[in-house]
Amino acid sequence: MSTVKTTSGTNGLLQSEPLLFERSVEGRTGWRPATSGVPLADDLPEDLLRQAPMRLPELSEPEVVRHYTRLSQWNYSIDTGLYPLGSCTMKYNPRVAEDLAALDGFAQLHPWQPVETLQGALHVMAFVEDSLKALTGLHAVTLQPAAGAHGELLGLLLIRACQESRGDPRSKILVPASAHGTNPASASMAGYQAVEVPAGPDGILEVDTVARLMDDQVAGLMVTHPNTLGLYERNLSSICKVVHEAGGLVYGDGANLNALMGIVRPGDLGMDVMHFNLHKTFSTPHGGGGPGAGPVAVTQELEPFLPVPVIHRGDPLTLEWDRPNSVGRVRSFYGNFGVVLRAASYIMEMGAQGLTHASRMAILNANYLRVRLSKAFEVAFPQPCMHEVILTDRLQRAHGVQTIDIAKRLMDYGFHPPTVYFPLVVPHAMMIEPTETESLDELDAFADALIQVAREAGQQPDTLKSAPSRPSLGRLDEVGAARFPDLRYDFDSTQ
Amino acid sequence: MQFPPELRYSQEHEWVRVEGDEAVIGLTDFAQHSLGDVVYIEYRSQPGDHVAVGDVVAEVESVKAVSEVFSPVGGELLDTNEDLDGAEELVNQDPYGGGWLLRIRLSDPAQVDALMDASTYQAFVAEQDS
C-alpha cells in the first residue's frame, strides 16, 4: 500500500484533496486575459503599492474546476440526505422555486428601474407581506432584513422607537434561558441589557417569573414560540398581558414558526413584533453564508416606525419614502428579493391548507421520533413536543459515552448529526428537528441508526469514542482548531 | 470529581479560597467537566476594578459553549491569571490550582460564609446532575 500514490478525487470512500497551493506548478496558466488598454494609475502612494506579485497558485483551468467540483461533492446538504438540525428547519427546497426565480422577468430586473416597470416584483413582495400577515395576525410587514438576526435587531429598534415616542424609553430586555444565542446578542447590539428568564421545571415559561422581572426599565420580552426545547409555551398569552400591563412589548422569534402555521397566530397571543426566517419556514435555501431573509411583522402601533421604503398599496403599487417616524433604512434596495420570490413560490405552491398540513406533519414527525427513540435515549422533556425533540446522553454516560461520541458515530451511518449541546439549559442535549419533508422510511432509517448507536454504546463504547471511522476524516481536533487556528498557507515551511 | 474541603462554592460553580483578606476564585471540577475543553478566556473586569457579587467578571469559551463567570464575592479585583493565556487547558487539568481565574480583596468577608461548603456543594451538584 505504501508504494501506491494517493490520488485526488473520490475513489469509493477514499477522498483526499490537496490544497491548490500544493498543486501549483510554476508557469502553468489556465486563462490569460488580453493586455488591458487602461493606463496604469501612477499617482498611488508608494507604500500602498505591492512590491512583488501575489503568490497565487498556478494551475490550469480544468485543475481548478475539478478541485472545487470534488470539494463540492464532499458537501452534505439537504439535497443529499436528512439534515436534522434542531431549531434550524432544514427542509427540502422545492425546485419549482428555482425555475420561477430564473424567469427572465425576475432574473433580469434591476432595482433602479422606474417603479412602474417593477410592478410584477412589487406584487410578489406585497403577496408575501399579505401572506405573513395572514399567518401571524399582525398588521404590517417589512421584507427588508437580510437574515433572522438582522430581523431581531430591527424588531428591537422598532420597540425602542415606539417606547421613545410614548415618552417611555427603557433599558432592559428579558430573554428566556433557552433562547437562541442571537436573542441576547441582538438585545445587546441594540443597546439593551439582556436579562435572563429561567423556565419552570417542565421547560415552560411561567407568568409569575416574568411578572416578577417586569419593571419600568424592561422594554419587553424576546420569546421563541414554540421554545427551543421544542415545547409549546402554553402560558404565552397571559405572559404577553403581564408584559403589556407593565408597559413592555413582546418580541417573537420566528425560528420555530414551522410548528404553528395555520394553527396559532402569534399576533392573537399578544406578540407585538416578530421576525420570520424565510430560509427556515418558507423553504428557501439555507445559504452557506449566502442570502437569507428575515422579514418582520408588527402591530398597528409599531407600523409607523417600519424601515423605508414601504410598498404603498395603490394602483399601480409604489414605494413610499416619506415616513417621518421610520427608523430609516436597514438594507440596500428592498431586501433579498430573490429569497422573497422563492418564498412566494413556496406559499403559492402550498396554499393555506398545505402550510397548515406542513406544520402538522412537522409536529407528527418529531413526535414519531420522540416515541421511537424514548427507550434507547433519555428524552429531556417527556411530554408531547412540537416540531423538534431533545434527547440526552444520560443512559449512555454510564459507559463513558457522551453526546459528542453519539453524534460522531451517527456519521458512520451516513447521517448528519443533530444539533448538539444546545439549548444550553439541557446538559448534553441532542436536538432533532426532522421537518415535514422527510418520509416515514427516512425517519425510520435515522431512528434505526440512532438506536444502533445506543446499543453500541453499551457493547463497544470505544468505537463511539473514536468515531467517525468511515468519512474521509476521522475525529477532528476541535480544541486545537479553536486554540491554534491554522488559516494561512505557509510557503516557507512546505516548499 | 474533586471537592476540596477547604474551599467554599457558589451555585454558579465557582470556588473561593480565602487567603487573609483576599479571595482566590476559579471554576470547580464539575464546571470544567460540564464545559468541556476550554479554548479561550476573556476577562470583563481588570485589576483595580471594584466588582460586586454576581457581576460578570469573565467569559470562558469551550468547544461546546461560552459561559459567563459571576463573581461569588465583592471587592477590589487585584489580579487575573495571565498564565492561562495560551494555556487555557489548565482550567481543565488543574481547576483548583494553576487554573485559578481571579484574586479579589474582600470588601465583606461575611460574603464567603454565605457560600456553600464542600459537602453542601457536592450534594447540590448531585442534584443538578440527576
Side-chain angles (χ1 to χ4, degrees), chain A residues 284-297:
Chain A
T284 67
H286 271 70
V296 168

Side-chain angles (χ1 to χ4, degrees), chain A residues 117-260:
Chain A
T117 68
L118 290 172
Q119 289 298 302
L122 291 181
H123 275 284
V124 166
M125 291 164 66
F127 167 77
V128 172
E129 287 186 5
D130 291 344
S131 303
L132 297 180
K133 284 192 273 186
L135 280 168
T136 54
L138 286 163
H139 179 74
V141 170
T142 175
L143 301 173
Q144 292 186 37
H150 192 190
E152 290 177 36
L153 178 64
L154 172 62
L156 291 163
L157 296 178
L158 295 172
I159 287 176
R160 159 166 302 143
C162 173
Q163 290 176 334
E164 280 177 352
S165 80
R166 290 175 180 177
D168 184 21
R170 297 179 171 214
S171 62
K172 296 186 285 188
I173 291 280
L174 305 185
V175 182
S178 65
H180 283 110
T182 48
N183 287 182
S186 297
S188 182
M189 195 150 180
Y192 287 109
Q193 183 197 346
V195 178
E196 188 174 297
V197 188
D202 59 354
I204 303 295
L205 275 188
E206 292 173 350
V207 184
D208 291 350
T209 313
V210 175
R212 206 167 44 244
L213 289 167
M214 284 304 300
D215 61 33
D216 64 3
Q217 278 309 304
V218 174
L221 168 72
M222 278 187 104
V223 62
T224 308
H225 184 53
N227 67 25
T228 50
L229 305 172
L231 302 176
Y232 190 86
E233 291 284 4
R234 60 175 181 272
N235 304 321
L236 199 52
S237 60
S238 306
I239 288 171
C240 289
K241 270 200 198 81
V242 162
V243 173
H244 289 153
E245 279 163 11
L249 294 166
V250 179
Y251 182 96
D253 182 317
N256 293 341
L257 185 65
N258 206 45
L260 298 183

Side-chain angles (χ1 to χ4, degrees), chain B residues 15-44:
Chain B
W15 56 261
V16 175
R17 185 172 66 238
V18 176
E19 296 179 354
D21 63 348
E22 297 175 9
V24 181
I25 294 159
L27 295 179
T28 68
D29 199 11
F30 173 79
Q32 68 83 11
H33 253 286
S34 309
L35 282 169
D37 292 302
V38 172
V39 296
Y40 188 66
I41 296 164
E42 183 177 355
Y43 287 102
R44 298 268 288 268

Side-chain angles (χ1 to χ4, degrees), chain A residues 394 397 402 421 424 427-428 478-479 482-484, chain B residues 37-39 63-65 86-89 129-130:
Chain A
R394 176 173 307 282
R397 255 185 289 164
Q402 301 195 42
Y421 298 106
L424 300 175
H428 309 267
E478 292 176 37
V479 179
R483 290 189 48 197
F484 310 107
Chain B
D37 292 302
V38 172
V39 296
V63 286
K64 294 181 196 166
E88 289 81 359
E89 68 274 12
D129 209 24
S130 66

Side-chain angles (χ1 to χ4, degrees), chain B residues 21-84:
Chain B
D21 63 348
E22 297 175 9
V24 181
I25 294 159
L27 295 179
T28 68
D29 199 11
F30 173 79
Q32 68 83 11
H33 253 286
S34 309
L35 282 169
D37 292 302
V38 172
V39 296
Y40 188 66
I41 296 164
E42 183 177 355
Y43 287 102
R44 298 268 288 268
S45 300
Q46 307 307 324
D49 289 354
H50 188 88
V51 299
V53 174
D55 281 0
V56 176
V57 283
E59 285 182 355
V60 174
E61 183 177 343
S62 75
V63 286
K64 294 181 196 166
V66 178
S67 304
E68 292 175 324
V69 178
F70 303 92
S71 187
V73 293
E76 185 196 344
L77 182 59
L78 298 173
D79 206 4
T80 57
N81 187 354
E82 283 169 23
D83 292 344
L84 296 179

